[in-house]
Amino acid sequence: MIRPSVFLAFSAALCATSIGNAQEHESHEAAPLPEKLGSVRFETTCAPGLAPEIDRAVALLHSFEFSAAIEGFERVLAADEGCAVAYWGIALAYWGNPFGGVRSDAALAQGLAAVEKGRATGSPSERERGYIDAVAALFESYGSVSQRDRIVAYERAMDDLVRRHPDDIEARIFHALAINQTALPSDKTYSAQLRAAAILEPLFEAYPDHPGLAHYLIHAYDHPPLAPRALEAARRYAEIAPSAPHALHMPSHTFTRVGAWRESVDTNRQSEQVAIREGVVTEALHAMDYQVYALLQMAQDDAARDVLVRAPDVGAGLETAAATGGAAPPMAAYYALAAIPARYALERGAWREAAEVTVPTAGPPFTIAIAHFARALGAARDGRPEPAQADVARLAELRDELEAAQDAYWAEQVDIQLRTANAWVAFAEGRIDDALEQMQSAADTEDATDKSAVTPGPIAPARELLGEMLLEAGRADDALRAFEASMQKEPGRFRGAYGAARAAQAAGAEADARRYYERVVELAADSSSMRQELERARSYVAGSQ
């Protein structure tokens, strides 16, 4: 059972501190606050005196602080070498972020080794053996059984554990996370996510200080039609576990989905500070990518540039960062390092700048593709299709590499970027019909998928780009429909609102034009940016009053 009154602390006492208070002090100017990770109670047959340490390690698991969780479970084993269930926690930590993509062989081998040790250790209870056997499904036969099949087997094993131990709240919570992990990006009914949420919602009401409940509800609802349902959990999670960098970052998944940009910036700044203080490089960079995305939607370009400038220094330790650390795996950090400069150029319409983005020398193929996409799109939109060709060719090669590695999701995402780049090259060459056909295809494909948790959103939304192409082609009515459809999926985007305003104005829909220009001005209310788009929006609104 869970005791809501018990707060976990590695130090002796805890004090509740709001996210607002935490934001008043930069991490390098104030002493770290007493640790606060939320309220968890994980019953075991291990030495009774180790219960607080076990509870703490499980709480860290719930906030995806994997290295710290492993250290916690290892301390338990140092004190009680027969505590078999501690190896369950270590194995689950080696699995890492459930939404983190394809696992490395090294992490899988380490997880399997932990499972084998758990099975050979002590005299665990039937319930504890159930946890160990369930997590084993994620690792056993990883060389011959697909990751998807192993994830499905794990969910079934957790379902069986819950059926045998219906009063085990922790089993129900981990089972809900397992259900969400089985969700397919192509399922727009969100059946798995809603099934998980149906388990989590009543538990969250009963145990409002449990870190996993708030965290996993945000993940369950991390989709455009569902995101508003997560707002309560998002606003609670950072208060529940402010000592966990991921608990400070995770609310921004919801804030991004609903266009709450200031809240996203604030919580990610705090996440970055805590992550840097704790040496979790990957989590810091992940939070910085989300910061830049949100800042650019508010046209706070100088603040976004500040993040851009400091990102390489933060990323300098990436090569030596632990493969298993925080919630953000190394690939998320590589993604952030590639995405931040690309976003900074593309969101501002700085096409020449985008065409000159530096290509990373390290990282998975889909992160390297980001730079080539920005370069190709930037050159083509700058009216220079020929320089874009080399980057287009490289995008095709990177897509093929991902297909060969059987990474279907990222292969498709890079293929969308490839089609988008080809479309704008064709447009720059005057092949308008061909360009629109390719851009429509890219937008339709992107709409049928969903974004990865590694990113706040596409580097440039395909349907929004379709709207811009249609507008430049003189098809204002069609452009307006494209922008409005894009804003349903990606609400609160500066370029989406501005594009809709321009399209409505060109179509003679003055009421819609005014509404969308007002939205642009509202988004950038605190901006000192000299973007031409913002000046035009302010001028239109002022002139129509």
Side-chain angles (χ1 to χ4, degrees), residues 229-283:
R229 305 185 193 187
L231 278 168
E232 181 183 356
R235 290 174 176 144
R236 282 282 298 138
Y237 188 27
E239 295 177 357
I240 292 168
S243 298
H246 190 62
L248 298 171
H249 158 73
M250 192 63 208
S252 68
H253 281 239
T254 299
F255 299 150
T256 297
R257 292 292 198 181
V258 301
W261 304 123
R262 174 47 56 194
E263 288 180 279
S264 181
V265 170
D266 289 346
T267 201
N268 276 301
R269 279 179 175 161
Q270 193 177 4
S271 176
E272 177 197 347
Q273 292 163 11
V274 174
I276 288 173
R277 187 179 71 213
E278 296 186 1
V280 188
V281 173
T282 57
E283 192 70 32

Side-chain angles (χ1 to χ4, degrees), residues 65-76:
E65 300 301 329
F66 300 117
S67 284
I70 290 171
E71 290 171 1
F73 286 118
E74 287 177 341
R75 279 194 292 271
V76 169

Side-chain angles (χ1 to χ4, degrees), residues 83-327:
C83 183
V85 77
Y87 286 110
W88 155 80
I90 291 171
L92 199 57
Y94 277 122
W95 179 251
N97 190 324
F99 311 101
V102 177
R103 273 40 178 190
S104 70
D105 285 350
L108 292 169
Q110 287 171 307
L112 183 58
V115 168
E116 291 170 347
K117 288 178 181 177
R119 284 174 164 167
T121 295
S123 302
S125 67
E126 185 274 334
R127 169 182 164 273
E128 291 167 336
R129 285 196 300 273
Y131 274 96
I132 296 167
D133 289 340
V135 78
L138 293 171
F139 301 99
E140 290 178 326
S141 303
Y142 67 82
S144 58
V145 178
S146 74
Q147 179 165 296
R148 168 72 185 171
D149 287 344
R150 286 181 282 116
I151 288 170
V152 170
Y154 171 63
E155 185 277 319
R156 289 173 180 163
M158 287 305 301
D159 181 48
D160 181 62
L161 182 64
V162 169
R163 291 178 189 278
R164 287 184 282 118
H165 300 276
D167 294 331
D168 185 347
I169 301 300
E170 287 297 310
R172 289 161 66 186
I173 294 170
F174 280 113
H175 178 224
L177 179 62
I179 292 170
N180 198 5
Q181 196 177 176
T182 68
L184 294 168
S186 57
D187 179 11
K188 296 307 179 181
T189 69
Y190 305 108
S191 57
Q193 294 91 331
L194 292 172
R195 182 180 164 212
I199 295 170
L200 297 168
E201 286 282 13
L203 292 175
F204 186 45
E205 185 175 348
Y207 306 107
D209 293 315
H210 191 289
L213 291 168
H215 186 185
Y216 305 154
L217 276 170
I218 297 169
H219 273 295
Y221 291 141
D222 193 14
H223 308 277
L226 308 180
R229 305 185 193 187
L231 278 168
E232 181 183 356
R235 290 174 176 144
R236 282 282 298 138
Y237 188 27
E239 295 177 357
I240 292 168
S243 298
H246 190 62
L248 298 171
H249 158 73
M250 192 63 208
S252 68
H253 281 239
T254 299
F255 299 150
T256 297
R257 292 292 198 181
V258 301
W261 304 123
R262 174 47 56 194
E263 288 180 279
S264 181
V265 170
D266 289 346
T267 201
N268 276 301
R269 279 179 175 161
Q270 193 177 4
S271 176
E272 177 197 347
Q273 292 163 11
V274 174
I276 288 173
R277 187 179 71 213
E278 296 186 1
V280 188
V281 173
T282 57
E283 192 70 32
L285 288 165
H286 186 51
M288 292 168 80
D289 185 22
Y290 272 73
Q291 275 182 71
V292 166
Y293 187 85
L295 288 165
L296 290 169
Q297 306 320 314
M298 297 186 289
Q300 293 190 10
D301 300 337
D302 289 345
R305 180 166 178 77
D306 287 344
V307 182
L308 169 70
V309 168
R310 68 174 183 266
D313 288 338
V314 175
L318 182 56
E319 292 297 330
T320 57
T324 302

Side-chain angles (χ1 to χ4, degrees), residues 341-358:
R343 295 191 201 284
Y344 183 72
L346 294 173
E347 295 283 6
R348 292 163 41 248
W351 308 127
R352 182 63 60 95
E353 188 178 317
E356 296 172 356
V357 163
T358 301

